Amino acid sequence: MLKSILREPLVHFLVLGGLLFATWTWLAPQESAGPQAEVITLDQARLDHLQTLWTAQWKRDPSPEDLKAIIDRHLRQEVFYREALSMGLDKDDDIIRTRLAQKMEAVSSDLSLLMQPPTEEQLRAFHAARPDLFTLPRAYAFRQVLYLPAEAGDEALEATLAALRVGGEVPPDRRGKLAMPTEWALTPAQALENAFGGGFAESLSELPVGTWSGPVRSGLGLHLVLVTENQPEHLAPFEEVRDFVARQYEYYTVLDAQEQMFRELLDRYEVRFEAEGVPEAVRQEYAHP
Amino acid sequence: MKRPNFLPLMGLGALLATTATGALAQATEADAPTNPLKEAYFGEQHVHTGVSMDAFIGGNRLTPDDAYRFAKGEEIMVNGSLHKIKRPLDFVAVTDHAEFMGEAYSLMTEGAPGYDDEIAVAFRTAPDLETALGLYGKYVLTPLAGGGEPHPSFFQGEEAIKTTWQKNYEATEKHYNPGTFTTIHAYEWTSAPGGANQHRNIFFRDTNVPDMPFSSNEGADPEMLWSWMQTQRDDGRKVFAIPHNSNESKGLLFAEASLTGVPIGQEYAETRASMEPLIEMMQVKGNSEVVPNFWPNDEFADFENAVSIQRFNGRAFVKENFVRYGLGRGIKYNADLGVNPFKYGFVGGTDSHNGTPSNVEEDNFAVGSHGYADQTAEIRSTSVLEGEMLISDVNPGALTAVWAESNTRGAIWDSMQAKETFATSGPRMKVRVFAGQGFAESYDSYDAMVTDGYAKGVPMGGDYTGTEAPQLLVWAMKDPIGPNLDRIQIIKGWYEDGEMKDRIYDVVASGDRLQADGSVTPVDAPINMETGEFDAEKGDPELMTVWTDPDWNPDVEAFYYARVLQLPTARWTLYDELREGVSYPEDVKRELVERAWASPIWHEVN
């Protein structure tokens, strides 16, 4: 426990601050509690808050001795805190910077949560504006007949292909071969590649639609295939993905709100790069318009 | 936290494809497609998110929500790198440690009591591996080993545990889409008295779950866990447990006595058999089936044994650590007590502490599985997983497949309880086994074979009750994007004349390699060491046979399980060397024979 506390940056900070303070006091002794002394007020709300925190941690109400310790600790912290502020020790401290920046970011997120639910028009506009989010990948619907490599004699394949082309049934010994269905409803190309392997999905793009053809190689064997639909990549119709659009809208609105607040706040500043080695693209991005 | 994660949702193609193919509205269990012949559903039953405090300290900030999205194929920021799996999963159970769930609430929820505690801040802001490991050792490993106060000072009590459990519950509910993607309410009970691993994952069948999990802080003895589970069952809940890492159990998982020293008797055996239908065969920290030292006749025993585990915590390997021993000891108990406490079917998992379910692909291990500890090839090639093993001994983890009628919680949980499951070391090969009488040598179709299997036999996980030597109908198919299969083996164990014995039968091999004397000519199919590519020509995509036990004795207890071997493939270490330019020590393996283990079928004499 003690070791980890000694490694804690906050402790370094406090210790260093304490040393500085001691030095400063020694060099420039001051009157204590003079007429201009600052006031530290411990009001009821503050004390209640301290007691609540204590109770949450210790699972019981503080005794009078505990109360003394709570108040001692609070006043001690308050004094050091104020002195640290007046010495500017909060400046350029990584932990304090991070914490304050986080708080400010949280404020901008909270603002976006106050948003009204989106209207139908807003959702449609978002759907139209972000085809990257709502584009469906290329997909195929087809029937297939599988021959394992050891079974795939040219004659058998040709005979079956000829029979299928004139309306023949899938031979019984081919149905559900390797537990693979014969019929495949519209399925994205990547999912097909995962199910068949060996470049099967890529090969489907070259097959005619509506005619039995093949054989086509997969990770499993050779297939005769009837492609019934070859659906190119396309934007999903709004009506079919309305709920999904709404979820994405909400997600990106929150992100946008944060980004927008950042940009607005950034406008209040001029960023000067005095350091070397900053890429030109970054310089441009932060150049004031 | 109210804010969204750092990155936009990725992998929308996959998500949208699911949405567009008919799952627009939240599907109901009744609407899920069913197949009475059952489908193999692949998934994860052991994964930790940032809610597990050891994972959090290791750098994981992902939530169960993120883990489920990852499982559905979305790209997620993992330890600072975008990462995704090639194939979405069918089901997932997130199993965060119950022990520190309350701490997770304070660590992860801004503004929560304890959030600003010094130790909590240190946990969150640990800047590097060394600091993180120091914190990990101090606040996780030591308490877990039973050394001291189990909770760090920022722990806020029981209510914080309930809050976290509730949050996990909500994420699990949110992502359940019957017929497409199943989520299971679960957690890990993590007890390791004296460094002897007793860990178990706990699985609930439905939404009827307690408001707080039972952790090892409440009871570190498995018998206390089972007793709590019994009270859950008495209250109408359906629950079972799955132990893991028997390889780290110091012989205590398949012991002669309970943890309190009482020799195992009928009551203990009945309770354990009832509470624990399955065991985790393999995960990141090693394969627990067998090791060559104790099974010198098993030529495939040298597989992801994670031997460097023995350098830590006094976890030297003993024969009693391994699953094949446990199965044998189980039938011996059955002969002595009339009940088998170790009647285990098989599952596999990762135990990933990255919040990345089934991130099991050897050629996709770029971000490792334990946060800072193995996040880059450079670290992996030189480092140790603190308190556990060498990273070069780690594997990406294993996979569970469940033969179930539908992709729903009820169907998957029921098939797990019935042990109709198999584990794989990662690939998605499939295996079916039926034991019975009168099977045909071949079938016109797959459906005809399976129908006959159920009609004339029992599936994996069942009991063979015939009076003649059992016939085993075994079938396997390759992973479509992996290499072909080498062979199927039947491992038989039996108890005779006071001795536990086992033997491996090669029952079918690709090509004409199975000889009349039962031996198999090795398949000469090396990988390409320059690219990692496997041999795409040799082996068979499908293997099937009916095997009859040649040495059957109806008066002898026995178990049978199938092991399916595929052709060699490249190990993740080779991909690290080829892609990242690191080099591993000479004795580290670059090639492996991935495999599947089908749950056993038992012949019980009583």
Side-chain angles (χ1 to χ4, degrees):
Chain A
M1 174 74 86
L2 189 60
K3 268 188 185 169
S4 85
I5 289 176
L6 288 178
R7 282 202 300 269
E8 168 59 41
L10 187 65
V11 175
H12 298 168
F13 160 73
L14 288 174
V15 170
L16 198 64
L19 283 174
L20 278 171
F21 175 73
T23 314
W24 175 72
T25 314
W26 179 64
L27 288 173
Q30 283 189 327
E31 291 291 312
S32 59
Q36 289 90 34
E38 275 197 65
V39 178
I40 295 177
T41 309
L42 180 66
D43 61 15
Q44 194 59 48
R46 188 74 196 164
L47 184 61
D48 290 350
H49 177 66
L50 291 171
Q51 293 199 56
T52 307
L53 282 182
W54 195 96
T55 307
Q57 188 155 8
W58 295 92
K59 317 295 168 222
R60 61 175 170 83
D61 290 329
S63 66
E65 291 77 36
D66 296 325
L67 196 59
K68 176 179 184 313
I70 292 169
I71 294 170
D72 285 349
R73 193 173 59 184
H74 171 69
L75 293 178
R76 186 180 170 82
Q77 190 187 53
E78 188 66 23
V79 166
F80 277 119
Y81 171 69
R82 291 195 189 192
E83 291 300 324
L85 280 184
S86 74
M87 286 181 71
L89 294 181
D90 54 323
K91 305 284 189 296
D92 293 322
D93 180 281
D94 283 341
I95 289 185
I96 291 170
R97 288 168 62 92
T98 307
R99 179 79 179 125
L100 288 176
Q102 273 177 353
K103 276 191 153 175
M104 196 62 213
E105 276 195 56
V107 168
S108 65
S109 298
D110 288 348
L111 288 180
S112 63
L113 288 173
L114 301 173
M115 253 177 0
Q116 297 294 319
T119 64
E120 189 79 1
E121 288 68 37
Q122 283 173 314
L123 289 182
R124 283 182 182 275
F126 183 67
H127 174 256
R130 295 297 302 271
D132 55 317
L133 293 176
F134 306 113
T135 297
L136 289 167
R138 178 173 286 275
Y140 301 94
F142 62 97
R143 304 180 74 195
Q144 64 85 27
V145 173
L146 166 61
Y147 287 81
L148 302 185
E151 306 167 326
D154 289 347
E155 279 179 33
L157 282 169
E158 277 169 28
T160 309
L161 183 59
L164 289 167
R165 278 183 169 161
V166 296
E169 289 292 309
V170 173
D173 67 338
R174 296 294 114 193
R175 286 186 202 136
K177 186 72 195 170
L178 272 189
M180 300 295 277
T182 303
E183 305 275 350
W184 286 74
L186 211 53
T187 309
Q190 187 55 52
L192 289 176
E193 186 53 33
N194 288 334
F196 287 87
F200 180 75
E202 181 72 24
S203 307
L204 290 185
S205 66
E206 292 154 19
L207 298 187
V209 175
T211 313
W212 279 98
S213 56
V216 173
R217 184 169 281 281
S218 79
L220 304 171
L222 292 160
H223 305 258
L224 303 175
V225 181
L226 171 63
V227 176
T228 51
E229 192 177 350
N230 177 342
Q231 188 186 73
E233 196 177 271
H234 70 288
L235 189 65
F238 176 78
E239 288 72 20
E240 284 182 21
V241 292
R242 194 193 174 285
D243 290 351
F244 185 67
V245 174
R247 285 208 301 279
Q248 298 304 308
Y249 179 88
E250 185 186 348
Y251 187 80
Y252 283 97
T253 308
V254 172
L255 285 187
D256 289 350
Q258 286 180 327
E259 185 61 19
Q260 198 180 335
M261 171 160 284
F262 169 60
R263 289 291 155 193
E264 277 172 20
L265 294 174
L266 182 65
D267 276 348
R268 300 185 191 175
Y269 298 84
E270 180 198 339
V271 182
R272 282 186 203 153
F273 292 104
E274 292 180 354
E276 287 176 17
V278 178
E280 189 52 33
V282 178
R283 288 178 186 275
Q284 291 298 330
E285 191 187 341
Y286 287 98
H288 225 272
Chain B
M1 277 198 276
K2 276 178 262 169
R3 271 171 299 137
N5 284 298
F6 304 102
L7 276 183
L9 288 164
M10 297 286 174
L12 296 173
L15 198 67
L16 206 53
T18 328
T19 317
T21 48
L24 275 175
Q26 181 77 16
T28 66
E29 293 195 351
D31 294 335
T34 61
N35 176 359
L37 298 181
K38 300 180 182 172
E39 300 281 348
Y41 293 108
F42 289 100
E44 171 68 279
Q45 51 81 47
H46 191 179
V47 62
H48 296 273
T49 72
V51 169
S52 294
M53 197 167 67
D54 54 345
F56 186 96
I57 293 168
N60 186 349
R61 298 294 180 274
L62 299 186
T63 61
D65 191 68
D66 297 318
Y68 290 126
R69 285 169 43 206
F70 183 88
K72 290 174 173 177
E74 290 183 45
E75 197 167 31
I76 297 285
M77 186 65 105
V78 184
N79 295 327
S81 307
L82 280 171
H83 194 67
K84 66 174 181 176
I85 42 175
K86 293 181 199 168
R87 291 179 278 189
L89 304 178
D90 298 315
F91 71 92
V92 174
V94 167
T95 51
D96 281 312
H97 294 294
E99 285 67 27
F100 300 103
M101 275 192 185
E103 284 83 341
Y105 171 67
S106 294
L107 284 168
M108 299 178 87
T109 315
E110 197 172 339
Y115 183 83
D116 292 322
D117 179 280
E118 282 173 35
I119 295 168
V121 172
F123 278 14
R124 254 196 321 277
T125 55
D128 56 40
L129 183 65
E130 198 186 355
T131 313
L133 288 180
L135 294 165
Y136 177 81
K138 190 169 179 62
Y139 295 106
V140 180
L141 287 184
T142 309
L144 277 186
E149 166 62 32
H151 294 292
S153 61
F154 62 88
F155 176 59
Q156 302 295 316
E158 211 170 76
E159 290 308 312
I161 298 174
K162 289 180 183 172
T163 304
T164 300
W165 176 236
Q166 177 66 21
K167 286 172 83 172
N168 278 31
Y169 176 91
E170 282 164 10
T172 303
E173 281 301 292
K174 177 181 156 193
H175 287 277
Y176 181 30
N177 198 354
T180 309
F181 184 72
T182 291
T183 57
I184 298 173
H185 295 291
Y187 75 91
E188 177 174 337
W189 174 85
T190 312
S191 164
N197 200 317
Q198 295 288 313
H199 302 186
R200 278 143 167 105
N201 287 317
I202 315 301
F203 300 83
F204 297 94
R205 186 178 189 272
D206 44 43
T207 55
N208 189 2
V209 302
D211 60 2
M212 201 177 115
F214 181 86
S215 83
S216 65
N217 297 330
E218 285 79 60
D221 185 326
E223 289 190 273
M224 296 164 87
L225 172 69
W226 300 329
S227 142
W228 175 81
M229 287 168 69
Q230 187 56 53
T231 65
Q232 298 301 309
R233 288 181 175 181
D234 293 345
D235 287 348
R237 302 195 176 96
K238 292 179 173 165
V239 58
F240 60 68
I242 303 180
H244 61 263
N245 284 118
S246 63
N247 59 341
E248 295 185 331
S249 73
K250 298 186 177 182
L252 283 189
L253 199 66
F254 305 117
E256 297 300 311
S258 72
L259 211 55
T260 45
V262 180
I264 286 179
Q266 190 179 344
E267 194 184 334
Y268 176 101
E270 277 169 0
T271 303
R272 183 153 168 175
S274 161
M275 296 297 168
E276 303 189 344
L278 299 164
I279 191 163
E280 191 177 279
M281 178 66 99
M282 174 176 167
Q283 57 134 283
V284 163
K285 285 174 276 183
N287 157 29
S288 293
E289 185 196 7
V290 282
V291 285
N293 290 13
F294 305 117
W295 284 270
N297 295 327
D298 185 342
E299 61 179 307
F300 295 96
D302 182 10
F303 176 68
E304 297 296 355
N305 294 133
V307 292
S308 59
I309 282 172
Q310 301 175 94
R311 298 190 198 172
F312 301 90
N313 299 312
R315 286 169 174 164
F317 286 167
V318 291
K319 191 169 187 178
E320 290 79 3
N321 278 3
F322 295 94
V323 171
R324 197 181 296 166
Y325 169 85
L327 293 173
R329 188 66 188 89
I331 59 175
K332 182 179 173 192
Y333 276 123
N334 196 58
D336 296 340
L337 304 171
V339 54
N340 178 351
F342 310 142
K343 199 170 176 183
Y344 286 121
F346 305 148
V347 292
T350 60
D351 198 3
S352 159
H353 279 55
N354 274 352
T356 50
S358 298
N359 184 29
V360 294
E361 298 142 355
E362 300 284 336
D363 59 353
N364 193 26
F365 195 51
V367 298
S369 57
H370 277 75
Y372 293 135
D374 60 355
Q375 71 182 132
T376 66
E378 200 179 351
I379 296 170
R380 289 193 288 274
S381 60
T382 52
S383 306
V384 161
L385 190 58
E386 194 60 32
E388 296 277 358
M389 60 198 294
L390 297 178
I391 307 255
S392 58
D393 255 4
V394 161
N395 72 83
L399 195 62
T400 296
V402 180
W403 289 107
E405 292 195 6
S406 68
N407 189 356
T408 58
R409 274 183 191 153
I412 287 181
W413 193 94
D414 288 350
S415 281
M416 288 175 84
Q417 191 174 48
K419 313 172 216 244
E420 197 169 351
T421 58
F422 60 97
T424 90
S425 55
R428 298 198 188 181
M429 52 188 99
K430 294 179 186 172
V431 53
R432 297 195 95 143
V433 183
F434 297 95
Q437 292 292 328
F439 300 125
E441 287 298 317
S442 69
Y443 290 90
D444 283 346
S445 70
Y446 170 79
D447 282 3
M449 177 191 77
V450 178
T451 305
D452 207 41
Y454 282 116
K456 295 174 181 164
V458 293
M460 55 180 77
D463 289 308
Y464 173 73
T465 53
T467 53
E468 295 170 59
Q471 293 182 347
L472 266 65
L473 168 60
V474 286
W475 170 90
M477 77 170 273
K478 64 171 284 191
D479 181 339
I481 63 171
N484 284 329
L485 301 177
D486 169 356
R487 71 184 78 178
I488 305 179
Q489 305 178 307
I490 298 288
I491 289 126
K492 178 188 176 185
W494 69 100
Y495 177 60
E496 192 174 25
D497 305 329
E499 273 189 75
M500 289 144 49
K501 299 174 180 175
D502 58 65
R503 180 171 170 184
I504 298 168
Y505 296 88
D506 290 309
V507 297
V508 56
S510 69
D512 301 320
R513 297 181 299 117
L514 181 58
Q515 308 299 309
D517 65 357
S519 67
V520 171
T521 313
V523 65
D524 180 26
I527 62 166
N528 182 333
M529 295 298 286
E530 311 299 319
T531 63
E533 284 171 312
F534 55 77
D535 184 319
E537 298 302 322
K538 291 185 177 162
D540 280 333
E542 177 185 40
L543 294 171
M544 183 263 186
T545 194
V546 175
W547 175 81
T548 305
D549 182 357
D551 307 306
W552 196 63
N553 179 343
D555 300 323
V556 166
E557 305 270 347
F559 66 84
Y560 304 86
Y561 68 89
R563 188 168 69 179
V564 183
L565 305 175
Q566 70 174 33
L567 299 191
T569 45
R571 194 172 185 260
W572 63 270
T573 41
L574 180 65
Y575 289 111
D576 266 3
E577 291 185 325
L578 296 178
R579 293 171 180 173
E580 309 293 336
V582 298
S583 60
Y584 286 87
E586 190 91 351
D587 60 343
V588 169
K589 290 192 172 55
R590 272 81 168 171
E591 185 183 293
L592 73 174
V593 174
E594 302 260 30
R595 57 199 65 197
W597 299 270
S599 287
I601 291 172
W602 287 266
H603 166 62
E604 297 189 330
V605 176
N606 45 309

